[in-house]
């Protein structure tokens, strides 16, 4: 009885209120959201103006790029990239990336240890320091490392190897640290309970758990280092990049396109090898 | 007796397999070591101009030249830093626009005509990822002239590969049920895309784009080396005038810029996802 009496009263109260459409964001949130979008748009349009980007040139560009590619770059001079000089530089590039990745990984193992929050010997001092070192090694672009080492050590592949080492330290150090942070702490506690020191805990408790992942990361690091190695020579650090720079400066466009083709093919091969090796390693788990 | 013999045989077989595995492993180690020795010999020992480098003290001396900060340079770094961030942002956005066809063609379950469009999209992604941003920038400097536009285009083209690959993978393993549901209520292909595919892919895509933006700040900070403005140009100028503390200052500025980018991406990620 009471229910029946209440129902019309409630519906009457409801009909007085205007119907409101459902919205995902109510007033203050919606204001913040649209304000954010508007700010982003203003920033974008301001940056187009600030950078002096000629928009009309942007839309005319496509035809120009087309003629540039078909007329000036099109038949790549394949003979050039089969010359022994060039092939030797390809081998140099592979060796540089190999050594860079190897040295980088050797240095990245302690960095990953110190930079992993759960295993770091000192959470207050060593952990932030290791994180900072990894971040700065990664943030500075590999070409900047190459230029710095060329300035200090002179032209040659050693500068390239060191530049790639710095690049790989940052890259692998971060991934290693993340991998160590994801381990199970049971074995670590067991080893610690037997009275082992930090180093032994690392060797017997942590390392067996991350061995496979580290190998995979190492192979991937080599893959990335190879891609970087194709251009460090551009600034005098040895390898294929030097041939690229020379031919660009001499406006030998057919040779440039041949070199680019060779880079793409080599990167594809490197990617295939690294994918195959990583699959093998994952299976060996 | 027979079973004991069988066990002995088995044991022997296991021992033989183990020693074979050991042999293979030590062979692999030997090959790796030889490779390292060979590479060290050709790249470091033979290719270095030891006479130019001189002694360790000389090297340390030239390292010491880089220590120090050129405080007077800081006011001149603000504008290039802003330019670097702008180039990275515009490049990332243009890259997102350009990678739409690559995503559409490159996801196996929505690609319109498998035998042609799928390899085309894969080629696009590989080209974009395998050619370094410096080379792309040189190409676009030749096409559109010096200036920020070349940098924006280089970064956009370089971003296509990663964004398209991750997003296409996300589309490939999306849940087909919402798609069926929208189809069942009579939605058109476009409505299927907007209401069934996009909401599932958007979080992945936003995460990937923010990540790529962070990387692009790092990339755009060197594009000045080939004539596309930004911090790289200042870096090059300091180096060529032998103002070595200035070089260190520019590197510190790049570090600060990337820290800023990481902070921004952390907050944007929290706000959007």
């Amino acid at each position: 009885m009471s229910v029946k009496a209440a129902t019309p009263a409630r519906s009457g109260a409801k009909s007085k209120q205007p119907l409101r459409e459902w919205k995902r964001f109510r007033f203050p949130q919606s204001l913040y959201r649209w304000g954010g979008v508007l700010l982003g748009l203003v920033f974008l349009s301001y940056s187009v103006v600030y950078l002096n980007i000629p928009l009309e040139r942007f839309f005319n560009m496509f035809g120009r790029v087309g003629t540039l590619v078909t007329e000036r770059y099109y038949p790549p001079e394949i003979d050039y990239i089969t010359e022994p000089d060039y092939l030797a530089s390809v081998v140099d590039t592979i060796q540089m990336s190999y050594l860079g990745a190897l040295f980088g990984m050797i240095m990245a193992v302690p960095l990953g240890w110190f930079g992993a929050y759960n295993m770091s010997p000192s959470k207050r001092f060593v952990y932030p320091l290791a994180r900072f070192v990894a971040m700065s090694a990664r943030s500075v672009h590999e070409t900047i490392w190459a230029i710095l080492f060329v300035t200090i050590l002179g032209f040659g592949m050693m500068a390239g190897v060191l530049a790639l080492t710095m690049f790989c330290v940052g890259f692998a150090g971060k991934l290693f640290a993340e991998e160590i942070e994801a381990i199970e702490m049971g074995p670590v506690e067991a080893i610690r309970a037997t009275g082992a020191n930090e180093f032994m805990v690392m060797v017997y408790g942590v390392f067996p758990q991350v061995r496979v992942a580290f190998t995979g990361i190492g192979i991937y690091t080599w893959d990335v280092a190879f891609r970087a190695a194709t251009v460090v020579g551009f600034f005098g650090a040895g390898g294929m990049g030097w041939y690229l720079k020379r031919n660009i400066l001499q406006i030998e466009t057919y040779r440039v396109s041949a070199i680019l083709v060779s880079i793409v093919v080599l990167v594809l091969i490197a990617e295939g090898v690294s994918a195959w090796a990583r699959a093998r390693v994952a299976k060996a788990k | 007796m027979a079973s004991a013999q069988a066990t002995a045989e088995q044991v022997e077989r296991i021992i033989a397999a183990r020693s074979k595995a050991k042999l293979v492993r030590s062979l692999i180690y030997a090959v790796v070591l030889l490779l390292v020795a060979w590479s060290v010999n050709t790249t470091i020992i033979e290719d270095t101009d030891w006479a130019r480098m001189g002694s360790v003290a000389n090297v340390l001396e030239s390292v010491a030249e880089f220590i120090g900060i050129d405080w007077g340079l800081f006011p001149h770094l603000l504008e290039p830093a802003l330019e670097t961030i702008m180039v990275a942002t515009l490049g990332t956005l243009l890259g997102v626009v350009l990678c739409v066809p690559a995503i559409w063609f490159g996801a196996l379950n929505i690609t319109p005509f498998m035998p042609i469009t799928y390899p085309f999209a894969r080629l696009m992604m590989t080209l974009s990822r395998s050619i370094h941003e410096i080379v792309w920038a040189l190409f676009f400097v030749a096409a559109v002239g010096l200036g920020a536009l070349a940098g924006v285009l280089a970064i956009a083209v370089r971003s296509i590969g990663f964004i398209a690959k991750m997003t296409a993978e996300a589309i490939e393993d999306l849940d087909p049920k919402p798609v069926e549901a929208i189809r069942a209520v009579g939605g058109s292909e476009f409505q299927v895309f907007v209401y069934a595919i996009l909401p599932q892919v958007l979080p992945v895509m936003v995460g990937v784009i923010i990540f790529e933006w962070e990387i692009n700040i790092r990339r755009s900070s060197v594009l000045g080396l080939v004539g596309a403005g930004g911090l790289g140009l200042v870096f090059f100028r300091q180096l060529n005038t032998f103002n070595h503390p200035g070089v260190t200052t520019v590197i510190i500025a790049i570090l600060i810029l990337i820290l800023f980018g990481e902070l921004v991406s952390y907050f944007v990620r929290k706000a959007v996802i």
Side-chain angles (χ1 to χ4, degrees):
Chain A
M1 197 57 197
S2 61
V3 175
K4 260 187 186 173
T7 317
R10 225 200 276 160
S11 68
K14 213 177 193 177
S15 65
K16 274 175 205 163
Q17 262 182 357
L19 276 174
R20 261 204 329 203
E21 210 178 314
W22 179 83
K23 277 183 196 144
R24 194 167 155 209
F25 298 104
R26 290 285 180 76
F27 164 64
Q29 281 90 353
S30 62
L31 184 70
Y32 300 149
R33 264 183 114 75
W34 290 116
V37 171
L38 196 67
L39 259 179
L41 285 178
V42 166
F43 176 73
L44 283 180
S45 35
Y46 177 67
S47 44
V48 170
V49 175
Y50 183 86
L51 293 174
N52 256 332
I53 289 181
L55 284 178
E56 73 284 352
R57 227 201 268 177
F58 174 70
F59 292 111
N60 294 337
M61 174 199 85
F62 295 101
R64 202 125 46 95
V65 170
T67 47
L68 192 73
V69 171
T70 50
E71 281 172 17
R72 280 212 267 150
Y73 285 91
Y74 169 58
E77 200 180 318
I78 298 295
D79 289 345
Y80 184 71
I81 55 173
T82 51
E83 271 175 25
D85 272 6
Y86 184 73
L87 289 180
S89 84
V90 171
V91 176
D92 287 348
T93 312
I94 295 171
Q95 283 178 329
M96 257 163 48
S97 64
Y98 179 68
L99 277 187
L102 193 73
F103 292 162
M105 269 157 54
I106 290 171
M107 283 160 74
V109 169
L111 204 64
W113 172 17
F114 296 152
Y117 193 71
N118 51 355
M119 292 308 300
S120 186
S122 145
K123 287 187 173 64
R124 282 178 64 195
F125 301 109
V126 179
Y127 168 76
L129 187 73
R131 276 279 149 136
F132 179 73
V133 169
M135 198 213 84
S136 35
R138 197 162 23 114
S139 306
V140 177
H141 200 266
E142 60 264 23
T143 52
I144 290 187
W145 282 124
I147 294 171
L148 283 182
F149 282 116
V150 166
T151 322
I152 293 172
L153 301 174
F155 295 107
M157 281 191 272
M158 186 150 113
V161 170
L162 287 175
L164 292 175
T165 304
M166 293 311 290
F167 172 63
C168 291
V169 166
F171 187 81
K174 186 192 174 215
L175 292 176
F176 281 0
E178 276 168 6
E179 204 58 53
I180 291 179
E181 276 174 356
I183 59 164
E184 265 182 57
M185 290 306 276
V188 175
E189 272 163 35
I191 306 280
R192 232 177 235 156
T194 61
N197 60 20
E198 281 294 307
F199 184 71
M200 282 152 91
V201 168
M202 199 63 201
V203 173
Y204 295 106
V206 177
F207 207 63
Q209 293 190 53
V210 293
R211 207 168 48 118
V212 174
F214 272 25
T215 318
I217 292 170
I219 297 165
Y220 185 58
T221 307
W222 170 73
D223 185 4
V224 175
F226 180 73
R227 253 177 259 179
T230 54
V231 288
V232 289
F234 212 89
F235 303 98
M240 296 147 76
W242 172 245
Y243 286 81
L244 190 61
K245 176 162 198 180
R246 203 173 70 189
N247 286 306
I248 285 174
L249 289 184
Q250 293 173 342
I251 326 186
E252 292 269 15
T253 46
Y254 301 126
R255 288 182 178 178
V256 170
S257 58
I259 291 174
L260 289 184
V261 167
S262 75
I263 287 178
V264 171
V265 169
L266 283 169
V267 168
L268 271 181
I269 293 172
E271 252 176 36
V273 169
S274 107
W276 171 80
R278 268 180 289 157
R280 270 300 293 274
V281 167
K283 224 197 285 172
K285 209 175 194 171
Chain B
M1 194 63 194
S3 74
Q5 213 172 5
T7 326
E9 263 175 31
Q10 232 170 0
V11 168
E12 251 166 45
R13 216 181 303 139
I14 290 172
I15 289 173
R18 265 195 203 160
S19 63
K20 198 185 158 201
K22 218 175 185 177
L23 186 73
V24 169
R25 203 176 300 157
S26 42
L27 264 179
I28 291 176
Y29 283 139
V31 167
V32 169
L33 276 182
L34 272 180
L35 272 177
V36 172
W38 178 52
S39 311
V40 167
N41 185 38
T42 45
T43 59
I44 295 184
I45 295 174
E46 282 180 2
D47 198 59
T48 310
D49 190 356
W50 296 103
R52 179 214 181 263
M53 232 161 73
S55 63
V56 177
N58 285 4
V59 173
L60 286 181
E61 214 171 277
S62 44
V63 171
E65 268 182 36
F66 283 91
I67 296 172
I69 292 177
D70 186 354
W71 294 104
L73 197 64
F74 266 105
H76 304 286
L77 284 175
L78 285 178
E79 260 183 53
L82 189 63
E83 263 178 40
T84 301
I85 287 197
M86 282 171 168
V87 167
T89 314
L90 285 178
T92 314
L93 274 186
L94 189 64
V96 172
V97 173
L98 289 179
C99 79
V100 167
I103 293 170
W104 181 28
F105 290 171
L108 267 179
N109 47 354
I110 57 166
T111 188
F113 184 60
M114 212 331 251
I116 293 176
T117 51
Y118 182 71
F120 177 72
R122 285 276 141 181
L123 181 75
M124 253 175 101
M125 294 179 203
T126 312
L127 269 183
S128 140
R129 272 183 312 143
S130 57
I131 297 181
H132 201 268
E133 53 263 27
I134 296 275
V135 181
W136 276 124
L138 283 166
F139 179 74
F140 283 114
V141 165
V144 298
L146 292 171
L149 181 58
V152 169
L153 287 170
I155 283 191
V157 172
R158 175 79 168 164
S159 317
I160 289 176
F162 186 68
I163 300 178
K165 191 173 177 234
M166 299 310 270
T167 316
E169 269 167 18
I171 289 182
E172 270 170 15
D173 38 65
L174 55 71
D175 183 7
K177 279 174 189 149
V179 179
E180 268 173 45
I182 302 287
R183 273 210 187 113
V185 297
S188 65
E189 278 298 309
F190 180 71
Q191 280 168 330
V192 166
F193 182 73
V194 172
Y195 292 107
I197 296 179
L198 209 57
Q200 291 191 52
V201 179
L202 210 57
V204 176
M205 208 172 158
V206 169
V208 170
I209 291 170
I210 294 171
F211 183 70
E212 188 72 19
W213 178 71
E214 252 182 81
I215 298 176
N216 280 344
I217 293 181
R218 179 173 172 270
R219 285 178 184 154
S220 70
S221 67
V222 292
L223 286 183
L225 299 179
V226 286
L231 280 175
L233 192 62
V234 186
F235 176 84
F236 220 35
R237 232 181 264 152
Q238 300 306 315
L239 199 74
N240 284 348
T241 51
F242 300 106
N243 184 9
H244 290 145
V247 171
T248 315
T249 315
V250 176
I251 291 177
I252 289 171
I254 292 176
L255 280 183
I256 293 171
L257 205 64
I258 283 165
L259 264 180
F260 168 75
E262 262 177 31
L263 271 181
V264 169
S265 84
Y266 174 75
F267 283 114
V268 170
R269 207 168 288 174
K270 240 171 78 176
V272 174
I273 298 175

